[in-house]
Amino acid sequence: MPARLTLGLQALAVLAAVILVAALPTYLELFTLMQLTLFAAMGVLALSLGFIWGFGGILSFGQTAFFGLGGYTYAIAAINFGDSTNAILLAILFPALFAAALGYFVFYGRISEVYLGVITLTVTLILFNVVNSTAGDAYTIGQARLGGFNGIPSVPTFNAPYTPDAVLTPEASWWVTGFTLVGVYLLMRLLLASPFGRIAVAVRENETRAALLGYDPRLIKLGVFMVGGAVAGLAGALYVNWGAFVGPTIFSLALSAEIIIWITVGGLGTLIGPVLGCVLIQFLNAKIGSQQAFNSNLVLGVILVGFVLLLPKGIVPTLKTAFLGLGRRAKRRPAPSTSSRARIAGAE
């Protein structure tokens, strides 16, 4: 497909997404809008792992570590500041710094990808147990009590920048979350088109060859890992804003595994695939969980196995391959010969 046509289609898709985000509160009930707000927040989380796994070749089994750190950072900062503006910035910064510290020891220690998954999984478990054991008055940061397994309730939701009294309505929260999802997608698309993004993909394809060309694969992978941590932290802040609550389950292993499933279903190596897989699985979870006839986990497991067996590349890459195949067949179709055209003209 020509590059200009691809770019044009992507621009049209982004424009359609912007119009959709702006118009949905006019047509949807509040409950549905709140559900979509949750889906959009989790879509940002899916993008964080989709970026580092699909384009950096870094499979983090514990992406919820950064998601949870972002959520708790936002909650503690918002309670103490009484304003969400700086709390959101800290929710991005702190997980990014944590990813930098963790990634430094992993990548510069030349730890293999298998052990990277184990390390990130272990860090998530440690954070879960640490936060889960913080019940009591001793575990208070400023005015924020961590609350142990009960979590932190009544977290201040988003307000207009540096105006604590102007708390956002549910409709405005949807706009913030939806436009954030579109913005993160665009930023990642621009990052991938930049020299850094191209080098990151080159490192994913062949680390040794990239090193021979003069690049430092450890530094590139560390940068990709930090971007993923920052975006996951932002997703944590959006998630806490949606529910006005944060608890230790934000670090759960079940959610860590679910993020990987989102990307597997949507398609690895794409940016739209993780978001599509996330929304689809979240929607199925909500629909199946609302009925009592079948075990929702069993039904969801069967659906996921079917996806893996029938569409091993995921939805988006499969659709892309089918679309390109149709285009090539149309080009190869021979044009009618001169005699055929004459016969057709005579018949007419």
Side-chain angles (χ1 to χ4, degrees):
M1 185 180 295
R4 286 186 179 180
L5 179 59
T6 304
L7 191 62
L9 289 175
Q10 289 178 351
L12 281 176
V14 170
L15 180 63
V18 169
I19 294 173
L20 193 66
V21 170
L24 277 182
T26 309
Y27 302 101
L28 296 181
E29 297 178 351
L30 183 59
F31 176 75
T32 308
L33 195 66
M34 292 290 288
Q35 265 194 324
L36 289 180
T37 305
L38 174 62
F39 294 171
M42 302 310 261
V44 176
L45 175 60
L47 271 178
S48 71
L49 184 60
F51 179 75
I52 67 170
W53 185 16
F55 298 95
I58 305 167
L59 175 54
S60 167
F61 281 112
Q63 195 67 4
T64 51
F66 310 108
F67 181 62
L69 282 175
Y72 266 92
T73 302
Y74 169 78
I76 294 168
I79 291 173
N80 282 289
F81 297 158
D83 177 83
S84 66
T85 312
N86 289 331
I88 296 172
L89 298 177
L90 286 175
I92 299 171
L93 181 63
F94 186 66
L97 293 176
F98 184 77
L102 180 64
Y104 175 80
F105 290 106
V106 170
F107 300 123
Y108 281 83
R110 299 189 183 281
I111 295 174
S112 67
E113 292 183 7
V114 175
Y115 291 105
L116 169 65
V118 173
I119 289 172
T120 51
L121 195 66
T122 306
V123 167
T124 305
L125 274 173
I126 291 171
L127 289 173
F128 174 81
N129 284 294
V130 167
V131 174
N132 202 40
S133 58
T134 55
D137 295 335
Y139 300 100
T140 302
I141 301 176
Q143 301 174 21
R145 290 183 58 184
L146 298 183
F149 52 84
N150 290 319
I152 306 176
S154 304
V155 178
T157 54
F158 289 173
N159 53 257
Y162 299 108
T163 313
D165 295 333
V167 178
L168 300 187
T169 62
E171 290 82 2
S173 285
W174 155 251
W175 283 323
V176 169
T177 310
F179 285 129
T180 299
L181 176 60
V182 177
V184 169
Y185 172 85
L186 283 175
L187 284 175
M188 286 188 168
R189 182 60 64 192
L190 291 174
L191 193 60
L192 287 172
S194 70
F196 173 79
R198 294 177 189 276
I199 297 169
V201 174
V203 170
R204 180 202 63 182
E205 292 296 321
N206 195 317
E207 197 169 321
T208 305
R209 195 171 294 174
L212 290 173
L213 289 172
Y215 301 111
D216 186 351
R218 300 168 299 179
L219 186 61
I220 298 298
K221 292 171 92 172
L222 181 61
V224 172
F225 197 56
M226 284 182 64
V227 171
V231 174
L234 174 61
L238 294 170
Y239 175 76
V240 174
N241 170 68
W242 169 78
F245 171 80
V246 61
T249 52
I250 199 172
F251 294 103
S252 70
L253 294 182
L255 181 57
S256 287
E258 199 170 323
I259 305 168
I260 295 174
I261 293 171
W262 295 344
I263 297 170
T264 305
V265 169
L268 184 64
T270 67
L271 287 180
I272 196 67
V275 178
L276 181 65
C278 167
V279 173
L280 182 63
I281 298 297
Q282 292 278 309
F283 176 77
L284 288 175
N285 261 331
K287 285 296 179 185
I288 297 171
S290 62
Q291 53 82 40
Q292 301 295 326
F294 302 100
N295 183 294
S296 59
N297 289 330
L298 179 62
V299 175
L300 194 59
V302 171
I303 293 172
L304 293 176
V305 170
F307 260 106
V308 171
L309 292 177
L310 299 175
L311 300 175
K313 292 182 179 178
I315 296 173
V316 173
T318 302
L319 289 176
K320 185 178 178 181
T321 303
F323 182 72
L324 291 176
L326 287 175
R328 281 194 290 268
R329 285 182 190 175
K331 285 183 179 177
R332 289 174 186 169
R333 186 174 297 166
S337 62
T338 308
S339 57
S340 299
R341 285 199 295 268
R343 283 198 298 272
I344 293 171
E348 288 176 347

